Every structure is written in C-alpha cells, then in structure tokens.
Amino acid sequence: MARSLAIDRRTTHDEGPLTTRAVCLAAGATRGMLRLYERDRLIAAPQRSAAGYRHYPPDTVARLLAIRALKEIGFSLREIALLLAERDHGALDPTRLRAMAHDQVAAIDGRIARLQLVRRYLKTVAEGDVQLIDDPECSFLADFLAAGGLEGNAGAPAPSRAQETLAW
C-alpha cells in the first residue's frame, strides 16, 4: 500500500516521467489499455529510455482517470478522443458538447428504465413468484427491450446509440 501512495504523490508533484507499471498502478489501468489509448491517441506516446522502456509524463495518470470517468458516463472512446482533442487545442465546441450530453442523458434514461424493469422482475422472483421462468412467450425480454426505447419508442436514443449502449 505504501508503494502505491508514493506513486500517487509522484503523479501530482511533476517529479518526472513514470514507468508503465507506475502509471498502471496509479490509474488502475492495464498495459493493454495504455497501448490502446496510445494507438487511439487518447494519451500521448511516451518517451523511451535508452533501454527502450516507456516513460510517461506525470499528467498521464490524471488523463487516464478522466478517460475512465467519461467511459463510465457512457461515452465511446471515439467520443472521448474528440472531447480530449478539442480540450487539448483550447476550446470545446459547446454545441457539440450539448448534443453529446443530450445523447448520454437519453442513453442513461434507457439504462435506468431497463434496470427498473429488471429490478421489478427480480423482486417478484425473490419474493417467490417464479411464473416468469415458465413464461413461454418470454414477455420479460420484450418488456426489457421496450423499456429502454429499443423498439422505436418516442424520445428513445437513436438505434445506433442504443445498440452501442446495449452491446450484447
């Protein structure tokens, strides 16, 4: 534990470059995530030591944490890359940001609706009513899809956004 606390202190005091391991520990990331984010230009390509090791700038940890937060909200990596690129160049497009926020609110509303439906069904089963399991028409699935606007309900997210949201 003391080791990760020392790493966190280094990331906030600009004490020089961080190794891949230090960045992964401090940001809760994997090496694969770092390579993906480098490839997709979400984080800057790191400098290399004489031995070829990657050395990341100290602000990489904060950027990774921001990426994680944006992913948790529901933004795709493509959308995150756009937001970060605009921010890096000094100005976010307010119209685009509002539209992206609107899309996320719609997607979140759809997830909430589906979760509320799942909760109702699970509560019923937990209380001993197992008729849901014996339903030959699988009405639960139809209700689930309709609850999130996945069947074209008014005010639902666009189909491509819904498919991205419910990637299963």
Side-chain angles (χ1 to χ4, degrees), residues 27-38 43 64 68 71:
T30 65
R31 292 174 194 277
M33 289 168 67
L34 292 181
R35 303 305 178 263
L36 173 68
Y37 296 166
E38 287 172 29
I43 60 173
L64 288 168
R68 175 185 285 167
K71 280 179 61 180

Side-chain angles (χ1 to χ4, degrees), residues 52 76 95 108 118-119 131 140:
S76 68
T95 302
I108 289 167
V118 169
R119 184 185 188 286
Q131 289 178 354
F140 166 75

Side-chain angles (χ1 to χ4, degrees), residues 143-157:
D143 290 347
F144 178 77
L145 293 173
L150 297 178
E151 292 187 332
N153 292 348

Side-chain angles (χ1 to χ4, degrees), residues 4-46:
S4 66
L5 290 175
I7 291 169
D8 288 341
R9 263 197 305 279
R10 273 189 71 190
T11 63
T12 58
H13 287 87
D14 288 349
E15 293 181 14
L18 299 168
T19 64
T20 298
R21 182 176 189 280
V23 169
C24 288
L25 286 171
T30 65
R31 292 174 194 277
M33 289 168 67
L34 292 181
R35 303 305 178 263
L36 173 68
Y37 296 166
E38 287 172 29
R39 186 193 73 208
D40 291 348
R41 295 190 172 107
L42 291 163
I43 60 173

Side-chain angles (χ1 to χ4, degrees), residues 7-163:
I7 291 169
D8 288 341
R9 263 197 305 279
R10 273 189 71 190
T11 63
T12 58
H13 287 87
D14 288 349
E15 293 181 14
L18 299 168
T19 64
T20 298
R21 182 176 189 280
V23 169
C24 288
L25 286 171
T30 65
R31 292 174 194 277
M33 289 168 67
L34 292 181
R35 303 305 178 263
L36 173 68
Y37 296 166
E38 287 172 29
R39 186 193 73 208
D40 291 348
R41 295 190 172 107
L42 291 163
I43 60 173
Q47 297 289 324
R48 296 287 188 144
S49 71
Y53 291 106
R54 286 175 164 85
H55 286 263
Y56 293 89
D59 66 345
T60 302
V61 172
R63 191 164 180 107
L64 288 168
L65 294 173
I67 292 167
R68 175 185 285 167
L70 291 167
K71 280 179 61 180
E72 286 178 15
I73 291 170
F75 287 105
S76 68
L77 290 180
R78 187 177 48 107
E79 291 168 326
I80 294 169
L82 177 67
L83 288 170
L84 292 176
E86 285 183 357
R87 188 197 61 130
D88 292 346
H89 289 92
L92 290 170
D93 178 355
T95 302
R96 182 184 356 255
L97 185 58
R98 276 193 303 276
M100 291 172 77
H102 181 271
D103 288 348
Q104 285 307 315
V105 168
I108 289 167
D109 288 345
R111 287 193 301 265
I112 289 170
R114 289 188 302 277
L115 285 170
Q116 287 173 335
L117 177 71
V118 169
R119 184 185 188 286
R120 282 194 306 271
Y121 276 105
L122 287 175
K123 184 175 182 198
T124 300
V125 171
E127 291 171 349
D129 183 357
V130 292
Q131 289 178 354
L132 170 67
I133 297 168
D134 296 328
D135 181 3
E137 296 180 17
C138 297
S139 60
F140 166 75
L141 183 56
D143 290 347
F144 178 77
L145 293 173
L150 297 178
E151 292 187 332
N153 292 348
S160 62
R161 190 68 179 139
Q163 289 169 353

